Amino acid sequence: MKLKIGEREFNIKFGYKPTLKSRIISKLVRMSAAAKTDGEADMETIEDMLLFLPELLLVGLQVCHEEFRYDYDTGEGREEQLDKAFALTGEYMDGKDADIMTFFNQLQEALLQDSFLKGLFQKEQKKQEAAEERERARQMTAKMQEKS
């Protein structure tokens, strides 16, 4: 996937090692679930999303952009590269057509296009949704018991 930020175009590809070493899948599932709740995000959710986007972007830049790589095993260089990803995210968000959910969805779509992640992500997302549904049912049952 190609992503244009400012005047630059970036190839986004979520490689096996950077994706797993960063533990980005579980974070993405949580962010996806939070974004879907009630259809509108509260300020805390938006803030969490804005903090997460540079991390997600950095993982997607690892394969095709050497200037964003760091040592996955030791974490050496990660903070410097994350600062670069924050700057890119800031540049994107400063654009006149910037939309946090569009940016998130573009990165998520790039992640889902990688065949090794497609099935795994869908399975994790279903598991998360089932857990949330069980929690909602539990809360409804508790409310009904309070009324009786």
Side-chain angles (χ1 to χ4, degrees):
M1 174 196 144
K2 293 193 185 294
L3 179 66
K4 187 170 170 115
I5 299 177
E7 297 300 315
R8 297 171 61 193
E9 189 170 85
F10 296 92
N11 291 314
I12 305 297
K13 178 163 177 54
F14 289 87
Y16 186 77
K17 188 173 182 178
T19 300
L20 295 179
K21 288 284 189 165
S22 66
R23 304 188 59 83
I24 207 76
I25 298 168
S26 57
K27 294 173 188 176
L28 184 66
V29 169
R30 282 193 301 273
M31 279 293 132
S32 292
K36 288 180 184 176
T37 304
D38 297 335
E40 287 191 27
D42 61 19
M43 290 308 285
E44 186 175 348
T45 302
I46 290 170
E47 184 177 61
D48 290 344
M49 182 79 68
L50 287 169
L51 288 168
F52 174 67
L53 282 171
E55 188 176 352
L56 182 60
L57 178 61
L58 179 60
V59 174
L61 291 167
Q62 298 295 298
V63 173
C64 298
H65 298 278
E66 194 171 313
E67 69 271 24
F68 288 95
R69 291 186 189 147
Y70 64 92
D71 188 317
Y72 314 121
D73 295 319
T74 66
E76 185 177 335
R78 182 181 184 281
E79 286 305 312
E80 295 87 342
Q81 303 304 23
L82 190 56
D83 284 344
K84 290 180 188 177
F86 263 96
L88 278 178
T89 302
E91 185 177 343
Y92 175 88
M93 296 309 292
D94 287 341
K96 62 180 177 182
D97 297 326
D99 179 279
I100 184 174
M101 289 312 299
T102 299
F103 192 40
F104 175 78
N105 289 334
Q106 287 174 321
L107 293 172
Q108 179 176 291
E109 184 179 318
L111 181 63
L112 291 176
Q113 288 174 357
D114 286 325
S115 61
F116 83 94
L117 289 175
K118 186 175 183 175
L120 177 64
F121 181 76
Q122 289 173 345
K123 182 179 177 182
E124 277 298 311
Q125 200 167 28
K126 285 179 184 177
K127 193 172 17 171
Q128 181 79 22
E129 288 169 0
E132 289 171 4
E133 185 60 38
R134 284 191 302 272
E135 179 60 21
R136 280 192 291 276
R138 186 194 65 73
Q139 289 175 355
M140 286 186 74
T141 302
K143 283 181 182 180
M144 291 178 79
Q145 289 175 346
E146 286 176 6
K147 289 181 179 179
S148 23

